[in-house]
Amino acid sequence: MKAKSIYFILSLTLLTACKDKLAPVSPDAIQPLVVTEQTVFDTDDPAIWIDKNDPSKSLIIGTDKEKGGGLYAYDLQGKIVASYPDMARPNNVDIAYDFPYQNDTIAIAVVTERKANAIRFFKLPELTPIDNGGLTVFEGETAEGFNEPMGISLYTKKEGETPVFYAIVGRKNGPEQDYLWQYEYAVNANGKLALTLARKFGAYSGKKEIEAIAVDQELGYVYYSDETAGVRKYYADPAKGNDELAFFAQADAKRDHEGIAIYKKDATTGYIVVSNQQDNSILIYPREGKPTNPNQHQLITTIPVAAVECDGLEITALPLDPKFPKGMLVMMSNGKVFHYYDWNTIQTHIDKAQK
């Protein structure tokens, strides 16, 4: 059965059962080229691991977020090829490359494990844990939800000969300032992974929570969704300070601003993509801002998608295989699945909106 047919049956079932709770998928919604196999509980957030030797063997790494859920690896056909189950509610995942480990450089996936109050580290593509059970975050926080990690994005500072690796972590609840904590992670003298708190930063509206976080590696910015309030922008490098650079998308979402990812046309231009959860659509913003103000991100267009109630999403602009010649957008959807979208289709909608 083709992916579109599978999606139609799944979507119809979901919408019939939950018609009073979920917005309908738009008749002109972009359809995924691939819908993944189902997880056990509830998908939440994807990341994309690029096989540098053969991009057609790249993997989607995604979380299944309930207690007992885990981390999954999918091939480009949507098949589950590896998993790490029985985690304490994993939420978000991100990927870093060229991390020095045991006389080698490796790719890693870093996952928030909410009910363990920790972040987990896995070697890719094998999904092999390398963290001795996890590293505790938000230590000393005792208020409800203040020590439960949810969102995560990784930043590699490449100034100088030795790169510095950071994890920027959000949580279920937090104060109106310093909601995010940024950690440097490295292998210590004993050969074990360790965290060093680099800073606390980030404003919070107090309206819902902060989960989705994305780093623009080349331009050095971090974006995060202050759900129902908007998207906030800061420098990713702690040395550049904690001043908020932008607070945009405030009136653009139906309710929750959710997953964030960046499509990179080149080193400095492209798009910031935000999932408009209750509208079953994505919001598109210029990555480079305006010529007179790089921190002014005005809505370009809203594009309806078939993904239902999307939490997390991720994008690559790299060609992966003939189905995705200009890259792909991966979106979580209700039904325990992820959707793979051809970026060419999305770009067509953007081009039309910009004419």
Side-chain angles (χ1 to χ4, degrees), residues 250-290:
Q250 296 180 49
D252 297 338
K254 182 175 180 180
R255 195 187 79 188
D256 292 357
H257 309 73
E258 281 282 354
I260 306 177
I262 300 167
Y263 184 86
K264 301 172 183 179
K265 296 176 71 174
D266 52 40
T268 60
T269 67
Y271 308 103
I272 301 165
V273 180
V274 179
S275 60
N276 185 3
Q277 188 177 47
Q278 285 73 31
D279 189 55
N280 299 329
S281 64
I282 52 176
L283 306 170
I284 309 292
Y285 302 89
R287 175 191 181 202
E288 60 273 24
K290 299 191 73 172

Side-chain angles (χ1 to χ4, degrees), residues 196-257:
T196 302
L197 182 62
R199 65 166 170 169
K200 304 174 185 180
F201 75 102
Y204 169 49
S205 67
K207 292 183 177 180
K208 196 170 182 231
E209 63 195 28
I210 293 169
E211 181 178 8
I213 309 169
V215 167
D216 188 325
Q217 189 68 47
E218 291 79 6
L219 297 183
Y221 299 123
V222 56
Y223 300 87
Y224 63 87
S225 288
D226 188 341
E227 292 185 22
T228 77
V231 176
R232 300 183 187 270
K233 177 182 181 181
Y234 289 78
Y235 285 114
D237 183 352
K240 293 187 176 181
N242 296 340
D243 291 340
E244 185 170 276
L245 302 174
F247 184 24
F248 62 97
Q250 296 180 49
D252 297 338
K254 182 175 180 180
R255 195 187 79 188
D256 292 357
H257 309 73

Side-chain angles (χ1 to χ4, degrees), residues 308-350:
V308 178
E309 292 264 309
C310 175
D311 272 316
L313 54 80
E314 186 57 284
I315 301 171
T316 181
L318 297 174
L320 299 179
D321 69 9
K323 294 192 301 297
F324 307 105
K326 295 292 184 180
M328 69 188 301
L329 164 67
V330 182
M331 299 185 71
M332 168 268 172
S333 178
N334 279 7
K336 310 176 186 179
V337 296
F338 293 99
H339 289 185
Y340 303 173
Y341 295 86
D342 175 20
W343 184 263
N344 272 334
T345 306
I346 297 165
Q347 187 65 56
T348 298
H349 282 70
I350 296 173

Side-chain angles (χ1 to χ4, degrees), residues 46-64:
I48 303 172
W49 172 74
I50 304 297
D51 187 323
K52 297 178 180 179
N53 295 318
D54 184 353
S56 70
K57 295 181 179 177
S58 299
L59 300 174
I60 307 306
I61 309 298
T63 57
D64 189 26

Side-chain angles (χ1 to χ4, degrees), residues 171 174-181 200-204 234 242:
R171 43 188 164 166
E176 291 185 359
Q177 295 294 328
D178 297 340
Y179 196 104
L180 280 71
W181 289 19
K200 304 174 185 180
F201 75 102
Y204 169 49
Y234 289 78
N242 296 340

